[in-house]
Amino acid sequence: MRGSGPLDGQLRIGGAKNSALKLMAASLLAEGTTSLVNVPDITDVAIMTELLEAMGVEIRRTGQRVDINVPNEIDPIAPYSLVERMRASIVVLGPLLARIGRARVAMPGGDDFGSRPIDMHLQGLEQLGATFSHEHGDINGRADRLIGSEVFLEFPSVGATENLLMASVLAEGVTIIENAAREPEITDLANFLSEMGGRIEGAGTSRLRIEGVDKLSPVNYTVIPDRVEAATYLSALAVCGGQLHLEGARVDHMEMLLRKFEEMGMILKEDDSGLQAKVVDRLTAADVSTLPYPGLATDYKPFLVAALTVSDGAGMVTENIFAGRFRYIDELVRMGAEIRAEGRHAVVRGVRRLSGAPVRAHDIRAGAALVVAGLAADGETAISHAHHVDRGYEDLAGKLSSVGAQVTRT
Ligand code: EPU
């Protein structure tokens, strides 16, 4: 890709990766065909498809619609070959224990963010009556019948909240999840489960109350738009200038991010079909600190750092969710960014332009941040290991080039 701008045009926001994956896993809770609409055609969805198919589920994609036919008998195994490629595979644990009382799921290892434990998932499920043993790198889970309980999460973990939510909908009695995660993707999962016949109160708050039912039914459901994809385009606009209309963007899911961009000088306006965004001058630097929702999402941070590298002034960036999520900074520095990182903090001093260079994507969001940086760089930037980007974005290069960015995928 090459330095680009100004951008001009409209982009449609696709379905949220981090919701679609969980809704696919949650489909295991009901026998029959669940249809999901607005499912992005990305590698992580393909991996979840492979995982469910290996369990005996039949899956058919037609455009953005995915039909998931769940049989009565499920083979409850998530092998390491798939979990290693996508750690979100762990969210099949809750539904499998709830539906058939057995699950053998490979233990995810660490990743580019550093160590990512699943202790809260397991402790929470144990409180509902599940037992776990560790064998040859797998977690072997059993539960005769899950029993509702009060679970207090030490940290509002997205994945732990989701696993507990999916397990407790079919548990006997009432489950309370205290300090639950409040991300829009959790609310989407709760809404999906409620349509299947689950009884859930408090979605979007830190206290979820779930009254177990005996059986759930398959449904047709539309996945919410991807707020992280929207944030990626806003960051591209931040460095290129111009104007974009983000069709389908949910402003109510991105309040904190939009405030941050407004603070930096972006002009934003919600309309009937999404969000209009405009950048006329070089943006001003701002401080960024990640927090669980409704705070600024850690997933936005790499793009915000990319935007700060060419903003006017200096910004302090603090990572409060994943201690190791700063690896892409070395790549940005190769492109001429002025960044000093130490522990959870980084100070980014804006320069006028970056300088295109060969760089490496370490994960999905880091890869997308390098795309944003490449649009703010003189000359050519070539991103290796770009397959990471495909895990979470459907045709990022095509979409950005349709609004004037010079980016191609080879
Ligand atoms: N944590 C524990 N123990 C646990 C679970 C989590 O210590 O049992 C810690 C983690 O190590 C981390 C913090 O709690 O420090 C938050 O982790 P969380 O469980 O909330 O994250 P996750 O469910 O593993 C999801 C998204 C991530 C996103 C985070 C935070 C999916 C598939 N992944 O991960 O998205 O960054 O929530 O919002 O939903 C991405 O899309 O690129 C991505 C990484």
Side-chain angles (χ1 to χ4, degrees):
M1 92 213 46
R2 298 192 151 267
S4 308
L7 303 182
D8 188 17
Q10 168 153 312
L11 292 170
R12 194 190 79 84
I13 306 302
K17 166 179 87 78
N18 289 346
S19 185
L21 294 173
K22 321 309 167 57
L23 302 188
M24 289 177 79
S27 305
L28 288 169
L29 289 163
E31 186 183 341
T33 303
T34 283
S35 297
L36 297 177
V37 181
N38 208 24
V39 180
D41 195 357
I42 53 177
T43 317
D44 274 11
V45 165
I47 297 174
M48 184 57 86
T49 301
E50 252 185 83
L51 180 59
L52 298 181
E53 281 174 344
M55 294 183 196
V57 176
E58 277 174 27
I59 300 189
R60 207 179 62 199
R61 174 183 275 277
T62 320
Q64 297 292 302
R65 173 193 170 112
V66 172
D67 295 315
I68 303 166
N69 185 0
V70 178
N72 180 30
E73 297 280 315
I74 303 170
D75 189 14
I77 294 176
Y80 184 57
S81 56
L82 293 173
V83 177
E84 180 199 29
R85 286 166 65 199
M86 184 181 72
R87 43 178 308 121
S89 310
I90 190 73
V91 292
V92 297
L93 192 56
L96 288 174
L97 288 172
R99 170 91 194 283
I100 58 170
R102 287 176 297 128
R104 189 176 179 111
V105 177
M107 182 95 183
D111 68 8
D112 278 317
F113 304 176
S115 147
R116 286 178 71 180
I118 53 161
D119 53 322
M120 282 190 267
H121 299 236
L122 301 183
Q123 281 162 17
L125 292 168
E126 275 171 351
Q127 272 181 264
L128 301 184
T131 55
F132 296 102
S133 58
H134 294 252
E135 289 164 26
H136 310 297
D138 292 345
I139 308 155
N140 223 345
R142 293 213 163 248
D144 287 337
R145 174 85 210 257
L146 294 172
I147 311 283
S149 177
E150 187 160 353
V151 181
F152 202 110
L153 295 176
E154 257 175 51
F155 183 92
S157 153
V158 171
T161 303
E162 290 165 338
N163 252 331
L164 287 168
L165 191 51
M166 290 186 278
S168 56
V169 274
L170 285 182
E172 195 178 313
V174 173
T175 298
I176 307 282
I177 309 173
E178 292 281 8
N179 200 24
R182 294 186 275 164
E183 272 69 5
E185 294 75 21
I186 306 266
T187 306
D188 206 30
L189 176 61
N191 289 342
F192 173 76
L193 294 171
S194 298
E195 289 207 12
M196 290 175 107
R199 296 204 187 128
I200 301 166
E201 286 168 24
T205 75
S206 53
R207 184 177 196 270
L208 292 170
R209 182 182 186 280
I210 304 109
E211 203 177 314
V213 295
D214 289 336
K215 198 170 177 294
L216 295 172
S217 312
V219 288
N220 287 349
Y221 191 85
T222 303
V223 180
I224 54 166
D226 198 317
R227 60 197 170 105
V228 192
E229 185 191 3
T232 311
Y233 301 143
L234 291 176
S235 306
L237 181 72
V239 303
C240 293
Q243 52 191 357
L244 287 180
H245 182 249
L246 302 185
E247 192 195 342
R250 284 275 300 259
V251 168
D252 57 327
H253 291 171
M254 305 189 288
E255 294 276 359
M256 223 43 117
L257 174 79
L258 300 184
R259 280 187 207 189
K260 188 54 66 180
F261 274 130
E262 276 179 338
E263 185 187 332
M264 293 171 75
M266 191 178 281
I267 302 155
L268 295 165
K269 190 163 171 280
E270 185 177 8
D271 63 21
D272 290 347
S273 60
L275 175 68
Q276 297 172 28
K278 194 168 169 183
V279 169
V280 278
D281 289 320
R282 184 183 183 198
L283 293 189
T284 313
D287 292 337
V288 167
S289 180
T290 64
L291 277 178
Y293 194 82
L296 261 185
T298 171
D299 288 343
Y300 301 149
K301 191 197 59 185
F303 329 130
L304 287 170
V305 170
L308 284 174
T309 61
V310 288
S311 296
D312 187 13
M316 162 79 98
V317 181
T318 305
E319 171 60 57
N320 292 306
I321 313 293
F322 294 113
R325 202 171 193 176
F326 269 129
R327 278 189 71 182
Y328 56 94
I329 282 183
D330 294 333
E331 308 296 315
L332 291 173
V333 169
R334 296 198 69 250
M335 298 176 71
E338 286 190 16
I339 308 177
R340 284 287 298 268
E342 205 171 296
R344 292 179 175 271
H345 304 282
V347 176
V348 188
R349 266 176 237 288
V351 296
R352 277 265 163 204
R353 291 294 280 173
L354 297 174
S355 171
V359 285
R360 177 183 171 151
H362 288 287
D363 70 67
I364 307 174
R365 309 304 173 192
L370 293 174
V371 172
V372 172
L375 299 179
D378 289 329
E380 190 171 289
T381 297
I383 304 175
S384 66
H385 295 76
H387 58 271
H388 283 299
V389 178
D390 303 331
R391 288 187 49 192
Y393 293 87
E394 190 178 317
D395 195 18
L396 182 63
K399 279 182 150 179
L400 284 173
S401 62
S402 76
V403 291
Q406 294 189 58
V407 45
T408 47
R409 179 82 166 85
T410 47

